[in-house]
């Protein structure tokens, strides 16, 4: 599953995770920490939509 940042278009792919931001590959979106910020524009998880 993929989620896209509504502000800048960054795509979080559950299969790839965001290892540079402390989220391991295979991490489901609901298991990403609540304080996760978009690596490109720094908005929170609430600004992401399912792609």
């Amino acid at each position: 599953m993929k989620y896209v940042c509504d502000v800048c278009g960054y795509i979080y792919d559950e299969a790839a995770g965001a290892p540079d931001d402390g989220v391991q590959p295979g991490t489901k979106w609901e298991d990403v920490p609540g304080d996760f910020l978009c690596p490109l524009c720094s908005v929170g998880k609430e600004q992401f939509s399912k792609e």
Side-chain angles (χ1 to χ4, degrees):
M1 188 76 58
K2 294 181 182 179
Y3 293 81
V4 62
C5 176
D6 297 331
V7 175
C8 74
Y10 168 81
I11 296 174
Y12 174 79
D13 182 346
E14 291 179 338
D20 291 344
D21 298 292
V23 182
Q24 296 305 310
T27 302
K28 298 225 175 278
W29 183 246
E30 58 266 17
D31 296 329
V32 171
D35 61 354
F36 175 81
L37 298 177
C38 176
L40 299 182
C41 71
S42 299
V43 297
K45 280 181 69 175
E46 68 279 355
Q47 296 291 320
F48 280 74
S49 300
K50 193 180 292 186
E51 187 178 58

